[in-house]
C-alpha cells in the first residue's frame, strides 16, 4: 500500500493550500481528487469563470496568494448604468448600485488553483481518484495502545482506484458531501455527522449562466452589464469580461434548472438578455449553463437545509475527528465562509492544528 504522511481529500483551493503548506513543512503528501480536473468550485473554460469569479479588497489571504503566485488580475468592470427588471418591465437605473469593488482573475479563477498545484512536487495531485472509504486505526491519542504489527496506526483511504495509507488526513470537501459519499470506520461521532449533513454547500443551489459575445456592446450603450431581475430566469447579472473587455461576457445567477419554466433554457436566457440589454444580446458566441446542484462532486444528493449558513465555521471542525481527521473547506471556516478566502483560512487552520499536535505529525 502507498504511504504518505498526510492524505488530502479534494483538490479544490482548500485542499491545494493544505498540500502546499504541508509540503513546505517537509511532509509527504498525496491529494486525492474525484474529478478529472483540479480546482473544484474554481472552474474556468478558456479563462471564463463558470464557478467563482470575484475576490474582494478585505480578503488578505487571497491577495497574498495572488502576489505570491504572480497570478494576473483586473478590477471588476462597474462603469455605467445598471438595469432593473420586475413584472412591470425594465428600468434603467442611474449609475450602478449593484456591483461592489472587487477583483477578477484575468486567466479565470481556476488559474489560482492551477498555479498553486504547479508548484507541488510532481505526482502529488491524483485526479480521477474519488475516496469512498476512510478507516482510522488508532485515535491519535498518545495514551492509546493503537499500534500493532498487523494493524499499523493511521488512516487507510480507499476508492475504486486508490489504496493509500497516511498518518493523517485532511477532508477538503464540503462536510455534507463527505458524510454522504465516504464510509467512515469507525463512524463519525453522531453529533458531527448530523452537523455535517445539515451544513449547506455554498452555491450548491445555483445555476451560473455565461453568455460570451464578440464585443461588450452594452458598454457602448453606457451600461455596466449589471442587473437585477424579479422575473428571471437570471436574477442577478454582471459583466464577466476579461481585461479590456476581451473576451466579452455577461453572466447571471439563477435557480437550479428544475425550478425554471419548462423547456428551452438557452432560449429563455437569450430572450431575457435581449429584454435587458438590447437586440445584440440575442446570439451569444457561447452560452454556458452550469447547474451546480447537479455537480455530484460538489453537492450531495440530499442537499442540506439551504438556509443554515449559521453552521459555517462551527467549532467542531477545529479539532481532529478520531484524533487524525482534519476538516478544511470553505464551509468549515470561522470567517469568510463560502468564499475563496474562507477556503484558504480553513486550510490554514487545519494545517496549524495538524502541525501542532499528536503523533504522526
Ligand atoms: C457559481 C459559483 C460562484 C461563486 N462565486 C464566488 C466568488 O465570486 N468569490 C468567492 O470567493 N467564492 C465564490 N464561490 C465559492 C468558491 O468557489 C468556494 O468558496 C471555493 O472554491 C471552495 O473551495 P473548497 O476547496 O473549500 O471546496 P471545493 O472547491 O468544492 O473543493 C472540493 C474538492 O473535493 C473534490 N471531491 C469531492 N468529493 C470527493 C471525494 N469523495 N474524493 C476525492 N475528492 C472529492 C471535489 O471534486 C473538489 O475538487 C462561488 C462558487 C460557485 C459554485
Amino acid at each position: 500500500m502507498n504511504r504518505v504522511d498526510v492524505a488530502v481529500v479534494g483538490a479544490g483551493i482548500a485542499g491545494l493550500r493544505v498540500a502546499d503548506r504541508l509540503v513546505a513543512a517537509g511532509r509527504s503528501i498525496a491529494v486525492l481528487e474525484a474529478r478529472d480536473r483540479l480546482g473544484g468550485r474554481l472552474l474556468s473554460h478558456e479563462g471564463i469563470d463558470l464557478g467563482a469569479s470575484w475576490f474582494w479588497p478585505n480578503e488578505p489571504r487571497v491577495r497574498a496568494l495572488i502576489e505570491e503566485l504572480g497570478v494576473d488580475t483586473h478590477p471588476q468592470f462597474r462603469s455605467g448604468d445598471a438595469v432593473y427588471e420586475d413584472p412591470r418591465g425594465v428600468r434603467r437605473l442611474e449609475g450602478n448600485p449593484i456591483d461592489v469593488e472587487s477583483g477578477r482573475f484575468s486567466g479565470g479563477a481556476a488559474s489560482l488553483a492551477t498555479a498553486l498545484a504547479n508548484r507541488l512536487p510532481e505526482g502529488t495531485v491524483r485526479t480521477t481518484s474519488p475516496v469512498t472509504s476512510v478507516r482510522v486505526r488508532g485515535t491519535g491519542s498518545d495514551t492509546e495502545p493503537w499500534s500493532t504489527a498487523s494493524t499499523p496506526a493511521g488512516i487507510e483511504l480507499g476508492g475504486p482506484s486508490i489504496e493509500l495509507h497516511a498518518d493523517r488526513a485532511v477532508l477538503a470537501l464540503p462536510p455534507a458531501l463527505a458524510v454522504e459519499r465516504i464510509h467512515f470506520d469507525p463512524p463519525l461521532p453522531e453529533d458531527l455527522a448530523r452537523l455535517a449533513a445539515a451544513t449547506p454547500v455554498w452555491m450548491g443551489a445555483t445555476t451560473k449562466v455565461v453568455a460570451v459575445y464578440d464585443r461588450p456592446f452594452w458598454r457602448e450603450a453606457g451600461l455596466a452589464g449589471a442587473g437585477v431581475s424579479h422575473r428571471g430566469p437570471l436574477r442577478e447579472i454582471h459583466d464577466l469580461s476579461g481585461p479590456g473587455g476581451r473576451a466579452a461576457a455577461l453572466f447571471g445567477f439563477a435557480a437550479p434548472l428544475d425550478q425554471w419554466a419548462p423547456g428551452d433554457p438557452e432560449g429563455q436566457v437569450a430572450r431575457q438578455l435581449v429584454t435587458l440589454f438590447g437586440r445584440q444580446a440575442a446570439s451569444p458566441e457561447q452560452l454556458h449553463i452550469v447547474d451546480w446542484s447537479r455537480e455530484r462532486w460538489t453537492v450531495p444528493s440530499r442537499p442540506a437545509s439551504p438556509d443554515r449558513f449559521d453552521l459555517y465555521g462551527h467549532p467542531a471542525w477545529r479539532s481532529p475527528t478520531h484524533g487524525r481527521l482534519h476538516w478544511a473547506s470553505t464551509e468549515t471556516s470561522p470567517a469568510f465562509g463560502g468564499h475563496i478566502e474562507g477556503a484558504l483560512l480553513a486550510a490554514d487552520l487545519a494545517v496549524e492544528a495538524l502541525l501542532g499536535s499528536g503523533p504522526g505529525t
Side-chain angles (χ1 to χ4, degrees), residues 35-72:
R35 289 178 165 105
D36 60 4
R37 61 168 181 88
L38 48 80
R41 280 170 276 179
L42 305 187
L43 170 63
S44 310
H45 171 80
E46 295 169 0
I48 294 163
D49 287 321
L50 307 178
S53 40
W54 293 303
F55 58 93
W56 290 274
N58 64 337
E59 297 183 330
R61 285 176 179 76
V62 179
R63 285 213 165 262
L65 192 59
I66 286 168
E67 271 176 35
E68 199 180 311
L69 296 171
V71 171
D72 288 336

Side-chain angles (χ1 to χ4, degrees), residues 46 59 107 144 150 161 164 167 177 194 211 215 225 230 232 252 288 312 316 332 345:
E46 295 169 0
E59 297 183 330
E144 181 128 341
S150 55
S161 58
L164 183 70
D167 289 328
L177 193 60
R194 223 176 294 123
R215 57 179 223 287
H230 295 286
H288 302 274
Y312 280 19
T332 71
L345 174 57

Side-chain angles (χ1 to χ4, degrees), residues 8-16 31-43 49-56 59 62 103-105 109 126 129-133 158 162 172-174 177-178 181-182 201-204 206-209 251 253 290 292 296-299 328-332 336-344 346:
V8 179
V9 181
I13 195 66
L16 294 170
V31 183
L32 304 168
E33 168 54 50
R35 289 178 165 105
D36 60 4
R37 61 168 181 88
L38 48 80
R41 280 170 276 179
L42 305 187
L43 170 63
D49 287 321
L50 307 178
S53 40
W54 293 303
F55 58 93
W56 290 274
E59 297 183 330
V62 179
R104 299 259 317 283
F105 302 89
R126 307 181 194 177
S129 301
V131 172
T132 55
S133 69
I162 41 165
L173 69 166
L177 193 60
R181 298 289 161 71
I182 299 176
V201 177
W202 182 257
M203 287 288 177
T206 300
T207 297
K208 183 160 176 174
V209 176
F251 90 89
F253 290 122
V290 181
W292 282 89
R296 68 184 305 259
W297 298 117
T298 299
V299 177
S329 79
T330 194
E331 287 78 12
T332 71
F336 302 99
H339 290 171
I340 300 169
E341 179 75 15
L344 295 176

